[in-house]
Amino acid sequence: MPRAFLVAAALIALCVATALANAQSLPKDAATRVEIFPIPSLTLSDQQFLSGDAAAGKPVTVAGEFRVAQGSGKLPVVVLMHGSSGVGATTEAWVHAFNAMGISTFVIDGFTGRGLTVVGPNQALLGRLNLIVDIYRSLEILAKHPRVDPDRIVLMGFSRGGQATLYASLDRFNKLWNKSGIQFAAYIPFYPDCATTYLGDTEVAARPIRIFHGTPDDYNPVKSCKAFVERLKTAGRDVVLTEYPDSAHGFDSGLLGAATVTVSANAQTVRNCQIREGDGGVLMNAGTQAPFTYKDACVELNPHVGGNPATAAESRKAVEEFLQVLFKLG
């Protein structure tokens, strides 16, 4: 056998062995590949969204980061939607937790492409329902991806993104805006705002909804979410609200060790507002019977935010156990 062939074979064997060793030495929570996707979307007013007026929307490109977990073939995915401060460090903690389970992640950034960084002090900068359009457009991308199992995609969101996650389950919104041809396997909203009542909002996808909230949350109070959950249960929907004591808004930042509760200076909260969808998709202040604006007297400032390491760990364990069963992970 020629010496050159033997040398080449030895080099190939060495390369294969090195590649295997490197693969085996990867931390469990390390992605095998990271892809950045442009997401063609629209910027709409809430009224335009509710009336299905896509022609009135302003085209915009937002972005998504897709991390392919370790494993082979088509993998399950969790899509993560940020809150009013954009994509933050707590999102990263969740990404590593899911990647360690063999679940890929798709993190949507709905702000940067729109020239935004935070909207907490001025929620009127972006209609809240825009993030649902971004979510559905991301689903279109994932539905076609060769490494994604389209039957095992879950949506998870936080605060403003938790609200988007909760209401992305509505049948009506799916019919209006979801062109992917598939549905999410479940919806996991963390401390969402449930102050708005939409027409037909108990008609939701036949998929599990699992809400996680804190008792003392004065940004998005759990009370309004409890009322919505009761209406969903009465309608026979698969919904569970898990409530944690001593857990302020953003309590899962405890995954990073955060344990201090502070005032979110000048952030707007609709904790004392009741908002209802009226004729033509106009959101109405139920107290004044006039169209709702963030200048209404019910809009207040300076809610509290902060982490709780204990309940953050509890919620992570609950989410992981839920996904373990839902995705049939070994």
Side-chain angles (χ1 to χ4, degrees):
M1 188 173 292
R3 178 179 174 78
F5 178 84
L6 292 173
V7 171
L11 286 171
I12 291 170
L14 178 62
C15 289
V16 170
T18 302
L20 287 172
N22 287 339
Q24 290 168 352
S25 64
L26 275 179
K28 283 180 64 178
D29 64 347
T32 60
R33 180 176 174 80
V34 179
E35 299 172 355
I36 308 296
F37 283 91
I39 306 168
S41 192
L42 295 170
T43 298
L44 300 149
S45 70
D46 288 336
Q47 184 179 5
Q48 289 164 346
F49 177 97
L50 290 167
S51 58
D53 191 0
K58 179 183 177 183
V60 66
T61 301
V62 296
E65 181 201 63
F66 182 46
R67 294 194 195 182
V68 183
Q70 296 175 44
S72 59
K74 294 179 179 289
L75 299 174
V77 179
V78 173
V79 175
L80 296 111
M81 189 74 248
H82 63 77
S84 295
S85 296
V87 180
T90 307
T91 305
E92 190 76 3
W94 283 106
V95 165
H96 284 286
F98 296 140
N99 289 169
M101 296 175 68
I103 301 169
S104 299
T105 51
F106 191 91
V107 176
I108 302 170
D109 175 6
F111 279 3
T112 305
R114 292 186 170 99
L116 301 170
T117 51
V118 298
V119 299
N122 185 4
Q123 294 285 1
L125 287 171
L126 185 68
R128 284 177 172 265
L129 298 169
N130 278 274
L131 298 184
I132 299 179
V133 180
D134 300 346
I135 285 166
Y136 291 153
R137 294 293 176 89
S138 300
L139 196 56
E140 290 181 46
I141 292 168
L142 292 170
K144 302 171 186 174
H145 198 286
R147 294 300 311 281
V148 172
D149 181 347
D151 295 323
R152 292 192 296 166
I153 306 175
V154 159
L155 177 60
M156 181 178 187
F158 309 88
S159 192
R160 179 187 261 251
Q163 182 185 38
T165 295
L166 180 59
Y167 293 107
S169 68
L170 268 61
D171 288 341
R172 174 183 160 212
F173 293 172
N174 273 279
K175 288 173 185 173
L176 280 174
W177 297 103
N178 182 5
K179 311 302 180 187
S180 69
I182 62 173
Q183 286 191 344
F184 287 105
Y187 300 83
I188 306 176
F190 265 63
Y191 37 88
D193 169 31
C194 304
T196 306
T197 301
Y198 297 101
L199 297 177
D201 62 6
T202 58
E203 298 297 321
V204 297
R207 301 288 191 274
I209 299 172
R210 298 293 182 267
I211 304 171
F212 295 84
H213 223 306
T215 303
D217 192 320
D218 64 355
Y219 205 140
N220 295 335
V222 70
K223 180 180 177 181
S224 60
C225 288
K226 284 181 174 179
F228 183 41
V229 165
E230 286 308 309
R231 292 198 294 118
L232 288 171
K233 286 183 175 178
T234 299
R237 313 306 174 199
D238 181 1
V239 57
V240 176
L241 169 62
T242 302
E243 183 180 347
Y244 296 104
D246 304 319
S247 299
H249 194 76
F251 68 87
D252 59 318
S253 63
L255 295 175
L256 304 171
T260 303
V261 176
T262 60
V263 170
S264 183
N266 298 315
Q268 294 175 317
T269 167
V270 294
R271 61 191 172 203
N272 288 318
C273 302
Q274 286 188 318
I275 306 166
R276 296 184 179 277
E277 181 184 353
D279 294 339
V282 177
L283 293 179
M284 306 293 291
N285 183 324
T288 65
Q289 297 301 310
F292 170 80
T293 77
Y294 283 98
K295 295 179 181 179
D296 288 0
C298 66
V299 177
E300 298 184 352
L301 303 178
N302 302 321
H304 293 81
V305 296
N308 182 321
T311 56
E314 284 182 45
S315 66
R316 180 176 59 189
K317 184 173 184 288
V319 171
E320 289 174 344
E321 289 175 350
F322 172 71
L323 293 177
Q324 194 89 23
V325 174
L326 183 74
F327 287 154
K328 297 181 172 63
L329 301 177

